[in-house]
Amino acid sequence: MNPFILSMMISNLALGTIITAASYHWFMAWVGLEVNTLAIIPILAKQHHPRATEAATKYFIIQMTASSIILFSSIFNAYHTGTWDITQLTTHPTPSLLTIALAMKLGLVPMHFWLPEVMQGVNTMTALIITTWQKLPPMFLLYLTANQLPMVILLLLAISSTLISGWSGLNQTQLRKIMAYSSIGHLGWMFAILSSSQKLLLFTLTMYLLMTIPIFLILITSTTKTIKDLGMLWTTSPTSCTMTMIIFMALGGLPPLSGFLPKWLILEELITNHLIPLATTLTLTSLLSLMFYMRLTYTTTLTV
């Protein structure tokens, strides 16, 4: 792709995210989401490969469907309330529709099937954008409407996402698919705390980004794509191998690494709010995710 066109697409990505984050009007938030989606489609398809074209098509269909639901719910709410204010979700079906649409955009269970396939069909740098930058616009909308979203739906999405992500990640050998299921699992934890503490949501999102970006940068620089390639990383770069092991264990939430802190705080907040069964379920389901993180760590150390 021409560098000028690529820089323009990346600028539009940033512009769409900024519009959504700064909007308190539903229509402007929807415009920001559309600018963001339309800017990333050429980036997804820039390889001119059938897998990349398929990934771009899947991403476009899913994002357009979710955006249509968001626009429909906002129009429905504005029709009954007379306001387009994002924080005024008083009409009954609107919060549920909005939650489902944003979960679809993020790739939560059961609307998650597109995410691993799209990430596998694009290059590692584009997969990095999908798992980090593209999570920000929907998360901004969730942050603004957190107190009005149905808690039952949020908790069901959280539990199912942590369970399915761990279970599915065990069967994968492609690192991009594993990182996709890692994203789904961490988003499940964020949805679990969404209605209880928005500050803790932002902290968890920040820690997830700080752990995910270095992993992808290591995969890009070392051209590592599969678990088998990961086992040969020590011979080419011992420093990258060591950092990879530490970050994988942090993603799994092992103490005293950084990834343990947000999970610990989330569990403490849930217990404080008398949601002990939910906290117990999240802890048990996260053990599956921890298992495939530890498998990756073990694979990395095979040649040491």
Side-chain angles (χ1 to χ4, degrees):
M1 180 181 290
N2 187 291
F4 174 75
I5 297 176
L6 181 60
S7 62
M8 186 175 66
M9 293 296 103
I10 294 175
S11 300
N12 285 330
L13 267 180
L15 176 63
T17 303
I18 292 171
I19 291 174
T20 301
S23 297
Y24 278 88
H25 191 285
W26 269 118
F27 184 75
M28 290 305 299
W30 176 79
V31 168
L33 292 174
E34 292 304 296
V35 171
N36 185 271
T37 300
L38 294 176
I40 199 175
I41 295 300
I43 298 176
L44 294 176
K46 69 178 181 179
Q47 289 179 297
H48 302 293
H49 188 274
R51 289 297 300 273
T53 305
E54 179 186 352
T57 304
K58 287 180 179 177
Y59 188 87
F60 177 78
I61 292 173
I62 291 294
Q63 297 299 315
M64 288 299 104
T65 302
S67 295
S68 299
I69 297 174
I70 291 173
L71 186 61
F72 170 76
S73 63
S74 60
I75 292 174
F76 187 82
N77 186 72
Y79 177 78
H80 284 86
T81 62
T83 177
W84 286 82
D85 192 343
I86 287 180
T87 59
Q88 301 297 322
L89 299 177
T90 55
T91 310
H92 175 61
T94 303
S96 300
L97 288 174
L98 179 64
T99 305
I100 293 171
L102 293 177
M104 185 183 298
K105 275 188 167 292
L106 291 167
L108 268 78
V109 176
M111 292 81 68
H112 69 289
F113 296 102
W114 65 270
L115 183 57
E117 297 300 324
V118 168
M119 287 187 61
Q120 185 60 31
V122 299
N123 59 33
T124 312
M125 178 58 76
T126 309
L128 170 61
I129 296 174
I130 294 173
T131 53
T132 54
W133 189 265
Q134 291 303 98
K135 304 298 182 188
L136 297 180
M139 293 304 295
F140 286 136
L141 292 178
L142 287 169
Y143 178 81
L144 291 173
T145 59
N147 294 324
Q148 304 174 72
L149 300 179
M151 189 172 182
V152 175
I153 296 179
L154 292 175
L155 298 184
L156 286 175
L157 290 171
I159 293 173
S160 59
S161 295
T162 53
L163 176 62
I164 300 299
S165 65
W167 191 269
S168 302
L170 290 172
N171 302 322
Q172 304 300 326
T173 58
Q174 298 290 331
L175 291 175
R176 278 170 291 179
K177 282 191 175 183
I178 290 175
M179 294 307 297
Y181 287 113
S182 170
S183 172
I184 295 170
H186 281 86
L187 287 171
W189 282 87
M190 295 177 207
F191 266 59
I193 200 61
L194 179 60
S195 58
S196 302
S197 174
Q198 287 76 55
K199 291 182 180 179
L200 195 49
L201 166 70
L202 293 180
F203 176 69
T204 307
L205 177 62
T206 303
M207 292 302 298
Y208 164 73
L209 296 177
L210 291 177
M211 291 184 291
T212 302
I213 292 173
I215 280 288
F216 271 101
L217 293 179
I218 292 172
L219 298 181
I220 292 169
T221 55
S222 61
T223 64
T224 303
K225 296 182 179 179
T226 65
I227 294 180
K228 183 179 178 181
D229 298 335
L230 197 63
M232 302 300 295
L233 187 58
W234 178 266
T235 58
T236 57
S237 178
T239 304
S240 297
C241 181
T242 305
M243 289 297 298
T244 302
M245 289 188 292
I246 294 173
I247 298 173
F248 275 139
M249 289 188 288
L251 281 169
L254 278 180
L257 299 173
S258 57
F260 172 70
L261 182 58
K263 292 184 178 181
W264 182 27
L265 293 175
I266 288 173
L267 293 176
E268 184 180 11
E269 183 71 23
L270 293 176
I271 293 171
T272 303
N273 292 330
H274 307 289
L275 295 172
I276 298 177
L278 174 62
T280 305
T281 305
L282 284 176
T283 305
L284 294 176
T285 53
S286 66
L287 292 177
L288 290 170
S289 299
L290 179 60
M291 184 173 178
F292 74 70
Y293 287 124
M294 294 307 297
R295 182 185 66 168
L296 291 173
T297 305
Y298 173 74
T299 304
T300 309
T301 60
L302 285 178
T303 56
V304 179

